[in-house]
Amino acid sequence: MRRVFQTSVFAIALRALGAAAGLAYSILLARLLGAEGSGLYYLAFTVVSIGTVIGRLGLDNALLRFTSIHADAKEWERVRAVGRLGLRLAAITSLVVTVLVILLAPLISTRVFRELELSRPLILMALSIAPLALLNLNAEILKGLKRVREAMIIQGVSLPLVAGLFLLILAGPFGLSGAVTGYTLATIVVCAASFVVMTNRIPADEQPRGSFERRKLLSTSWPLLVVAVMNLVIGLTDTVMLGIFMDSEAVGVYGVALRVTRLSSLVLVAVNSVVASEFSALWDAKKQANLSRLARLTTLGMTAVSILIFIVFSSFPQFIMGIFGPEFTQGSRTLVILALGQLITLGTGPVAILLMMTGHEKFHRDTVLASALINVILNAVLIPLYGIEGAAIATAISLSVKNIVAVLFVRAKLGIKVLL
């Protein structure tokens, strides 16, 4: 437990560094492009995020799970085999998605979002789909190898730092196109580095080149793909529907509030990065008591951190939003509503990763599907009535429902009380 705690603290520190870099990137982007330009950037980023999730095929947690199992058994050729298979499948799918987004960019820009200026930045950012998908999968493999620090640096720190450097160089002379191009170049650079790190962390052995069953990998990843897509629906429905019902300035203001409150979710991501392989190993070894204890301890720590973060966001919303520029202060109440949703999400602990690492990904898929449906309906009803605050309410409710249902299932089915 001490090793897990120490690694968690280090992972949270790395996530904090990445969050600071991401926040600096968002501030710089807002200052350089304004609310309208930022809105177009976030719309392009939203489409690309959807493409990236589809390109990964739900392989994130599948690769983490199988890498962890075979690494613990020191079956290194099996580790290499599952990595090769997963990365190859993701590369092919990501390239297909990239071509589709490029071809459909004019239609998406004019018919869906009614923004003629969106087409060019969307095409440029679409080129980041494949490298972004692959660098994230390489990071999951590293987590399965218990190389959490390297994984966190690749996923959470390197990309905003490198993207920020390119933003400084290109956004000034080339505006929105320069900012988007800089982000795409950053994903390519970090992806290349992730391959170097990942391949060097798998020990060499004398075993013949092995293979991994494609059916076994995909049978695990398909439910997780549905989960990933539905989580994306929950996370991006608000932005997409704001783009449909309102203008790019509203999207820009909401995008800033959303990214600020998501800083708190980095705690969940950091903890998940550490405990995921532990959950998988303990469940596989049938060490139920140790698993329960680890789940409760992580939930307790996350709850304490989430309360502190909510206090800060709810006490100084205008000041925080004003950092991005005077036009962004109109999103102050939106910031508080989203922060409340994050408080509940963090306060219920790492229940999602617990379900996926214990073989209950299908139940998790079903709860996420229901939550995504709730999110779409609430956004469609509340955005026309309350604008960006309606989008925030819809997102907060759908996130809360998903996690509370997961907590009840974990307690009833697994016998684990993550809250008490």
Side-chain angles (χ1 to χ4, degrees), residues 398-414:
S398 59
L399 287 173
S400 301
V401 168
K402 175 173 68 73
N403 276 46
I404 291 171
V405 170
V407 167
L408 295 175
F409 179 86
V410 165
R411 181 169 181 170
K413 186 74 174 178
L414 278 66

Side-chain angles (χ1 to χ4, degrees), residues 48-49 63 84 150 166 200 222 295 304 320 332 339-340 376 378 397:
V48 166
S49 296
L63 286 178
R84 282 194 302 267
E150 290 96 329
F166 281 120
N200 287 331
W222 282 123
I320 293 171
S332 298
L340 179 60
V376 171
L378 289 178
I397 291 175

Side-chain angles (χ1 to χ4, degrees), residues 46-47 49-51 53-54 56 224-242 254 258 262 365 367-380 383 391 394-396 398-399 402:
T46 297
V47 176
S49 296
I50 296 171
V53 168
I54 295 172
R56 294 202 303 265
L224 297 177
L225 173 60
V226 176
V227 169
V229 171
M230 291 303 102
N231 275 327
L232 196 67
V233 169
I234 295 171
L236 298 180
T237 294
D238 43 12
T239 302
V240 171
M241 297 189 77
L242 279 171
Y254 184 83
L258 188 63
R262 280 182 178 170
R365 174 200 62 194
T367 58
V368 173
L369 277 168
S371 180
L373 180 61
I374 292 171
N375 194 32
V376 171
I377 294 172
L378 289 178
N379 270 287
I383 288 177
T395 298
S398 59
L399 287 173
K402 175 173 68 73

Side-chain angles (χ1 to χ4, degrees), residues 23-344:
L23 181 60
Y25 181 86
S26 297
I27 293 172
L28 184 60
L29 184 76
R31 292 286 185 177
L32 289 172
L33 302 183
E36 184 176 355
S38 298
L40 292 172
Y41 179 96
Y42 290 136
L43 286 176
F45 183 79
T46 297
V47 176
V48 166
S49 296
I50 296 171
T52 301
V53 168
I54 295 172
R56 294 202 303 265
L57 287 175
L59 290 163
D60 312 56
N61 288 296
L63 286 178
L64 189 158
R65 180 180 176 186
F66 290 121
T67 298
S68 175
I69 291 172
H70 293 298
D72 282 347
K74 300 189 184 307
E75 298 171 346
W76 301 118
E77 189 50 45
R78 291 282 283 176
V79 170
R80 278 189 285 272
V82 70
R84 282 194 302 267
L85 176 60
L87 291 170
R88 183 170 66 249
L89 291 172
I92 294 170
T93 307
S94 296
L95 290 174
V96 171
V97 173
T98 298
V99 172
L100 288 174
V101 172
I102 291 173
L103 293 176
L104 295 174
L107 184 64
I108 294 171
S109 303
T110 56
R111 297 294 180 87
V112 178
F113 297 115
R114 299 187 300 277
E115 295 283 358
L116 296 176
E117 300 85 357
L118 179 61
S119 182
R120 179 177 174 80
L122 179 54
I123 290 172
L124 292 172
M125 193 177 276
L127 299 175
S128 69
I129 291 175
L132 193 57
L134 295 176
L135 76 86
N136 276 288
L137 292 182
N138 283 333
E140 297 303 319
I141 293 173
L142 286 169
K143 292 175 189 175
L145 295 170
K146 293 184 170 57
R147 297 282 185 170
V148 176
R149 297 178 184 181
E150 290 96 329
M152 301 287 286
I153 291 172
I154 288 170
Q155 277 185 313
V157 180
S158 299
L159 189 55
L161 286 177
V162 178
L165 177 62
F166 281 120
L167 181 66
L168 284 170
I169 296 171
L170 299 175
F174 301 108
L176 177 59
S177 294
V180 171
T181 301
Y183 181 80
T184 298
L185 291 174
T187 62
I188 294 171
V189 170
V190 177
C191 180
S194 73
F195 271 100
V196 174
V197 175
M198 185 272 293
T199 53
N200 287 331
R201 292 300 180 267
I202 302 176
D205 56 30
E206 300 293 331
Q207 297 177 8
R209 183 182 175 92
S211 62
F212 194 89
E213 301 84 354
R214 179 180 299 185
R215 179 178 296 179
K216 183 177 181 180
L217 182 62
L218 290 178
S219 66
T220 301
S221 71
W222 282 123
L224 297 177
L225 173 60
V226 176
V227 169
V229 171
M230 291 303 102
N231 275 327
L232 196 67
V233 169
I234 295 171
L236 298 180
T237 294
D238 43 12
T239 302
V240 171
M241 297 189 77
L242 279 171
I244 294 172
F245 287 115
M246 303 186 73
D247 56 22
S248 58
E249 181 178 349
V251 175
V253 173
Y254 184 83
V256 164
L258 188 63
R259 276 150 186 80
V260 170
T261 54
R262 280 182 178 170
L263 292 176
S264 60
S265 67
L266 295 178
V267 177
L268 176 61
V269 174
V271 171
N272 282 350
S273 300
V274 177
V275 300
S277 60
E278 299 291 336
F279 284 164
S280 178
L282 290 171
W283 180 261
D284 192 59
K286 296 181 171 54
K287 296 181 178 180
Q288 184 80 4
N290 291 343
L291 177 60
S292 299
R293 183 173 174 229
L294 179 58
R296 286 195 298 270
L297 285 174
T298 53
T299 300
L300 181 62
M302 290 169 58
T303 300
V305 173
S306 66
I307 291 172
L308 291 175
I309 293 174
F310 177 73
I311 290 173
V312 173
F313 285 160
S314 60
S315 300
F316 310 102
Q318 286 203 335
F319 171 78
I320 293 171
M321 292 299 291
I323 294 173
F324 298 85
E327 57 190 328
F328 290 93
T329 56
Q330 59 185 294
S332 298
R333 286 195 293 183
T334 300
L335 179 71
V336 175
I337 297 169
L338 290 171
L340 179 60
Q342 288 295 327
L343 171 64
I344 298 173

